[in-house]
Amino acid sequence: RASAAAGVGDGVVEALLANEASRKREAERKKAEEEAAAGTRKELRGMTLDQLKSLVSSKGLEAAGKKEELIEVAFKIRLQDEAVAARRDELRRMAIDDLRDVAKGCKLAAAATGKKDALVDAVLAHEAKAREDTRAFDAKVEEVLAQWAAELEEKSGAELKDICAGKGLRPGVSKEDRVRAIVQNWRAGRAVDAAVIESRRAARTAELALAALDDLLAVCKGLGIDTVVKEVMVGRLLAHEEEHGRAEDEAPAAAPVVRK
């Protein structure tokens, strides 16, 4: 029994030591990240306003605002660049089959036959596009929320209080408190996302409607989309017949086969 108790005690001590070592490693990692972040911010603060604007605009972002604001934007750019570099190294260390699986998950055409460097570049480009799409979507969300907030500003304090009550929100004291509470509720919900999706769909529909027919057909062909939809043809034939009547009661007979 004494031996068993000693064994259990040793296991507990080892677990405690392992946890302590893990905690120290985590603390060292956070300290290193904080020191690196501080160094990056110091470097950015040493840049001129024109240099900061050039860095920000090189990423396709609007280079506007005060120097401190541009420093924050540039800092996020540096963090993203470091994350991409780390991701590139991670992808390069993968076995080719594992990398192909990642590419397949991204639905990339080169997944089956592409060489390693090409696959790495393709995956990184796909992920960059996804980040850009997310950034654009989030910006549109903020734009819609700003429009909705402006509409709320036109309402009376009593109307805003009723809206808060209907949503189960604390109305606060001032009109600004109520507007802020409603907007935060919208941001946390799905209504604003649905509005953005509908807005983008309407804009895309208008864009496609202006495109030349040959261009649309080429795009559909490239995507493997069948443009000849039987249900659409039937519907249009019925609509034409309702307006103009049937041209023939029966379908034309097939041409006779000429035998030699």
Side-chain angles (χ1 to χ4, degrees):
R1 290 181 180 179
S3 177
V8 172
D10 291 342
V12 172
V13 171
E14 290 177 0
L16 290 173
L17 291 174
N19 288 337
E20 179 64 16
S22 177
R23 188 191 65 78
K24 286 183 178 180
R25 286 195 299 270
E26 181 64 17
E28 291 172 356
R29 184 187 65 79
K30 288 184 177 180
K31 182 179 179 181
E33 288 180 353
E34 291 171 356
E35 290 176 350
T40 299
R41 289 184 184 278
K42 182 178 180 180
E43 176 190 351
L44 294 172
R45 288 193 178 96
M47 296 174 67
T48 65
L49 185 61
D50 287 340
Q51 288 173 328
L52 288 170
K53 287 183 177 181
S54 178
L55 173 60
V56 172
S57 60
S58 69
K59 298 296 183 178
L61 301 176
E62 183 179 3
K66 297 179 181 179
K67 185 173 182 177
E68 284 301 317
E69 294 172 338
L70 289 174
I71 287 173
E72 286 305 309
V73 176
F75 179 71
K76 292 179 180 178
I77 290 173
R78 287 289 180 85
L79 289 181
Q80 185 60 61
D81 288 346
E82 291 172 3
V84 170
R87 177 62 169 161
R88 181 181 293 276
D89 289 341
E90 177 188 2
L91 293 172
R92 282 176 171 169
R93 288 195 300 270
M94 286 184 177
I96 187 64
D97 289 340
D98 293 336
L99 184 56
R100 291 191 192 283
D101 287 340
V102 173
K104 288 176 183 177
C106 298
K107 298 181 180 179
L108 299 178
T113 59
K115 295 183 178 180
K116 192 167 190 177
D117 287 344
L119 288 174
V120 169
D121 291 340
V123 170
L124 290 175
H126 174 83
E127 293 175 348
K129 179 65 166 54
R131 287 193 299 272
E132 176 58 26
D133 289 345
T134 300
R135 186 196 66 78
F137 188 90
D138 290 344
K140 189 63 177 178
V141 165
E142 294 304 318
E143 180 183 326
V144 171
L145 286 174
Q147 293 173 354
W148 290 359
E151 294 173 3
L152 290 176
E153 294 288 352
E154 301 297 322
K155 297 183 180 295
S156 66
E159 289 174 320
L160 293 173
K161 185 176 181 180
D162 289 341
I163 294 174
C164 288
K167 294 179 177 295
L169 305 175
R170 292 183 179 180
V173 177
S174 66
K175 185 175 179 178
E176 291 75 15
D177 291 338
R178 293 167 185 172
V179 170
R180 188 180 305 110
I182 296 169
V183 171
Q184 287 176 347
N185 178 262
W186 281 338
R187 180 177 280 110
R190 296 182 178 180
V192 65
D193 287 354
V196 170
I197 291 171
E198 181 60 29
S199 174
R200 295 177 70 174
R201 182 179 180 83
R204 181 59 174 162
T205 299
E207 178 185 358
L208 292 174
L210 294 175
L213 179 59
D214 289 343
D215 292 339
L216 289 177
L217 290 172
V219 171
C220 289
K221 183 178 180 180
L223 295 173
I225 297 174
D226 183 8
T227 58
V228 182
V229 182
K230 186 176 181 180
E231 290 77 8
V232 173
M233 289 192 292
V234 169
R236 292 184 176 179
L237 281 171
L238 290 173
H240 184 276
E241 290 176 355
E242 288 173 359
E243 182 176 355
H244 303 285
R246 292 183 61 172
E248 297 178 352
D249 290 336
E250 297 180 358
V257 177
V258 178
R259 299 182 182 276
K260 295 182 180 181

